[in-house]
Amino acid sequence: MTQAEIKLCSLLLQEHFGEIVEKIGTYLIRTGPQPLRMIVNDTGLVLDQVKKALCVLIQHNLVTYQLQKRGFVEYEAQCKRVLRILRYPRYIYTAKTLYNDTGELIVEELLLNGKMTMSAVVRKVADRLTETMEDGKTMDYADVSNTFVRLADTHFVQRCPLVPETPESPDAPPPPAPTLVINEKDMYVVPRLNLVGKGKRRRSCDEEEEGEPKAKKQKQDGESSEPPPDDGIYWQVNIDRFHQHFRDQGIVSAVANRMDQTSSEIVRTMLRMSEVTTSSSAPYTQPLSSNEIFRSLPAGYNIAKQVLDQYLTLLADDPLEFVGKSGDSGGGMYTVSILYFWTLSHFRPLIRFSLPLRFGSRCARIFRLLLRKKHLEQKQVEDFAMIPAKEAKDMLYKMLSENFVSLQEIPKTPDHAPSRTFYLYTVNVPSSARMLLHRCYKDGGVASQGGRSHHVAVPRPPRRLLEKSQRVEAILASMQATGAEEAQLQEIEEMITAPERQQLENLKRNVNKIDASENQVDETIFVLESFIESTVKKP
């Protein structure tokens, strides 16, 4: 765990959960698994505060606990899971793209609350959608429930582990910590709920001041003190499934850039057929026959079976091996290589674009040459790259000091005499990926999060102007709700002068740039982490 990752985790925890949770989360990330007593002693916080903060972290899957043999419980922070907070907007946008606004709000509610029951999610999302609809229109619980079922069927949401039901014995003391288990077959089984109702709008202030009794309000809203039928069955977002979707989109994009649109559509069909049956960490998809692929192609995509076989053969013979052939039954069995070749095809351009920014275009030329030729002496680098000897030497040493390239010695004799030794420059791709990943966390993620949380390195209007803008927007919203005339609305809008409006536009533009930079950094981090994972797990 690098200091850049720890700092980014600290900033994310503070921004989303506050100082107390951030202090405990950062302490656990730095020290590793710790019991409750040590956390209280070392952080200097009150026991009740520590317990509540740990509950929040456990609720959001940022901390796990484990019962030790000596009977005490240790809490361990999940740093990688904390860093996934940076990717939350991408998860939500993906859900919106696949399942419209309803899917977007379902995923957003689960990410904001960590774990929720299906009935609670459906009611909350229906209420939020009803708020955005025109007067007289409401969102039916059944429509939200159907979208939730579709998310579960495609494994974008999954059940949380439960405490197993065991017969209670009056003499045995309860365990210090419950053991949560989940059957893999039940992870995506949606309970049969008869959720009847529609979303409700928030009551206005005038209606709340009428003094209606609370019990009467609950009765009118259809609420009851009885537990919901799915009480105890909690759901969470399956982050690995979203990563699998990002990876599949990257594979399709890489094939389209390498081949053509038809090839990418064939690969997209293969990935869609195996998206549920293939693990997110598997190096290859399940074998699919040519006949199955042909039957699963989109209806409007008219290509003959013979043409499909030619495309599959072309994909299997390509040096990047996006598709591999694993048998001849059913017209030929094919698999999609998931991790290594896709990440390599994305990682190499990433290196090539980052090197000119840091060292110049000539260094990028040398790096591309070493990637292609694998091993070269300094004289060969000079000749192939057509760069003067002095400049090539300086550039190679500069990249060597930054760990972009490495030097390998091949002695002719056992004494390793310099005059009888070959010195070959080469590129250690996994090492370069780790170095770039560290720079992404340090320069990109930390800088953007630090800029948002502490200082923005752009001119921004004073706090008074921001508060004034919020007040004007609130007044306009209330007047529009009461049916005010256009002249009155125009008069309220003129409370903000043209220079002030320009300052607000500049702030909005700069904040959008920061958000776009964070998203781009996160995409780069995802590619680099996938590449590193593929090199580690590759047999």
Side-chain angles (χ1 to χ4, degrees), residues 252-512:
V252 173
S253 175
V255 174
N257 294 333
R258 177 79 175 178
M259 302 289 202
D260 59 4
Q261 194 63 36
T262 304
S263 300
S264 66
E265 191 61 40
I266 293 171
V267 173
R268 187 196 305 274
T269 302
M270 296 174 67
L271 291 170
R272 187 173 61 249
M273 294 170 63
S274 58
E275 63 182 359
V276 176
T277 59
T278 302
S279 171
S280 58
S281 60
Y284 299 94
T285 61
Q286 296 293 329
L288 300 169
S289 68
S290 174
N291 296 330
E292 291 176 329
I293 299 171
F294 180 72
R295 289 193 296 268
S296 300
L297 284 172
Y301 219 80
N302 297 322
I303 62 172
K305 177 67 166 60
Q306 184 179 2
V307 176
L308 173 64
D309 292 336
Q310 292 174 352
Y311 268 105
L312 289 173
T313 302
L314 187 65
L315 286 166
D317 294 340
D318 188 82
L320 287 181
E321 298 181 14
F322 286 110
V323 173
K325 190 171 183 180
S326 60
D328 296 322
S329 60
M333 302 295 291
Y334 295 90
T335 61
V336 179
S337 174
I338 291 177
L339 285 175
Y340 183 73
F341 296 103
W342 163 64
T343 47
L344 187 60
S345 65
H346 281 66
F347 171 70
R348 284 180 172 176
L350 185 65
I351 288 279
R352 293 169 186 170
F353 284 118
S354 62
L355 274 172
L357 296 176
R358 188 168 182 82
F359 300 112
S361 59
R362 291 194 173 187
C363 280
R365 189 193 309 172
I366 293 175
F367 190 87
R368 287 195 298 268
L369 182 64
L370 291 174
L371 273 178
R372 188 180 302 114
K373 299 292 186 179
K374 306 298 182 185
H375 296 84
L376 289 176
E377 291 185 277
Q378 181 177 322
K379 183 67 170 64
Q380 293 175 311
V381 172
E382 299 166 7
D383 296 338
F384 283 123
M386 294 183 291
I387 297 176
K390 187 175 184 301
E391 291 185 21
K393 181 179 179 181
D394 292 341
M395 293 174 184
L396 283 170
Y397 286 171
K398 187 184 297 184
M399 288 191 290
L400 182 64
S401 64
E402 296 282 348
N403 294 323
F404 273 101
V405 300
S406 57
L407 190 62
Q408 184 176 351
E409 298 181 4
I410 302 179
K412 296 180 183 178
T413 56
D415 59 355
H416 287 259
S419 60
R420 293 184 294 275
T421 301
F422 292 108
Y423 295 95
L424 302 180
Y425 288 94
T426 185
V427 176
N428 187 343
V429 180
S431 175
S432 300
R434 292 186 180 89
M435 185 267 297
L436 277 179
L437 181 62
H438 174 72
R439 290 189 182 277
C440 283
Y441 282 129
K442 182 179 179 181
D443 301 333
V446 174
S448 60
Q449 288 294 328
R452 172 178 291 185
S453 302
H454 301 291
H455 63 278
V456 177
V458 293
R460 67 182 195 179
R463 186 179 300 274
R464 178 193 60 79
L465 181 55
L466 290 175
E467 294 175 351
K468 178 181 177 182
S469 173
Q470 293 172 357
R471 288 197 304 270
V472 169
E473 290 177 358
I475 294 172
L476 286 172
S478 62
M479 292 182 67
Q480 288 173 351
T482 56
E485 296 180 357
E486 189 67 26
Q488 294 176 320
L489 298 177
Q490 184 70 24
E491 184 179 353
I492 298 299
E493 289 179 355
E494 291 176 355
M495 292 174 62
I496 299 179
T497 62
E500 291 175 338
R501 199 175 299 278
Q502 183 64 36
Q503 282 184 301
L504 291 170
E505 288 295 328
N506 291 337
L507 173 66
K508 185 178 180 181
R509 192 182 306 112
N510 290 324
V511 170
N512 290 337

Side-chain angles (χ1 to χ4, degrees), residues 26 28 64 74 82 84 102 119 144 233 388 402 496 522 529:
T26 306
L28 289 175
T64 58
E74 282 190 341
V82 176
R84 295 296 171 263
T102 307
S119 58
V144 181
I233 303 176
E402 296 282 348
I496 299 179
D522 179 69
E529 287 180 341

Side-chain angles (χ1 to χ4, degrees), residues 74-136:
E74 282 190 341
Y75 298 90
E76 182 178 5
Q78 303 298 315
C79 181
K80 294 297 182 183
R81 186 63 177 77
V82 176
L83 292 173
R84 295 296 171 263
I85 297 176
L86 201 62
R87 207 166 290 165
Y88 279 8
R90 197 175 174 190
Y91 300 147
I92 296 171
Y93 179 75
T94 301
K96 180 182 178 66
T97 304
L98 298 175
Y99 300 100
N100 300 323
D101 294 341
T102 307
E104 173 194 9
L105 293 183
I106 290 174
V107 172
E108 182 180 340
E109 286 294 331
L110 288 174
L111 289 174
L112 288 175
N113 295 278
K115 303 178 181 71
M116 293 180 71
T117 61
M118 177 181 172
S119 58
V121 173
V122 168
R123 291 191 178 93
K124 188 71 176 293
V125 170
D127 292 345
R128 291 182 60 181
L129 289 172
T130 301
E131 288 286 337
T132 62
M133 292 181 173
E134 299 177 0
D135 292 340

